Amino acid sequence: IRAGGTPAPSVPAGGAVLNLTAANVAFDKKDLEAAAGQPFTIEMTNNDAIQHNVAIYQGDKALFHGALFMGPGKTSYVIDALPPGEYTFICDVHPIPAMTGKLTVK
């Protein structure tokens, strides 16, 4: 528990934490990387006063849809382990190039 009594975010044991920020209807990163075979967490900050989320796709197949949340604010998405490969992360609300990136799992 953090100072002030708020619980620390739950992170899978041994899992990486990837930080991603949405601002001005754009993600701050175009590339994220995670270890294959291990769950990981995306800590997302939404600096916009509109809803955003993170979804992960392999081709046209959705593997993960994070809950939409209104900004400004922050949320954590725990992603189950993925096999090695390249995936797309995207905001389901704004599937535009500025809110799309590549997740490399190796």
Side-chain angles (χ1 to χ4, degrees):
I1 296 190
R2 293 181 182 168
T6 58
S10 112
V11 175
V17 177
L18 311 178
N19 293 298
L20 187 65
T21 298
N24 301 313
V25 194
F27 286 139
D28 68 330
K29 295 181 179 103
K30 290 302 215 175
D31 293 287
L32 295 175
E33 192 173 293
Q38 293 184 17
F40 60 96
T41 300
I42 295 177
E43 293 276 348
M44 185 172 154
T45 301
N46 179 359
N47 289 331
D48 292 332
I50 56 177
Q51 287 189 331
H52 290 305
N53 79 331
V54 173
I56 298 174
Y57 288 83
Q58 185 171 39
D60 292 336
K61 182 182 178 191
L63 303 177
F64 174 83
H65 285 285
L68 298 174
F69 75 103
M70 185 68 75
K74 190 181 246 189
T75 195
S76 297
Y77 298 120
V78 177
I79 317 295
D80 290 335
L82 295 171
E86 289 189 354
Y87 302 85
T88 301
F89 67 89
I90 191 165
C91 173
D92 284 321
V93 182
H94 306 99
I96 58 174
M99 295 208 80
T100 302
K102 181 173 74 171
L103 169 65
T104 302
V105 177
K106 56 184 183 177

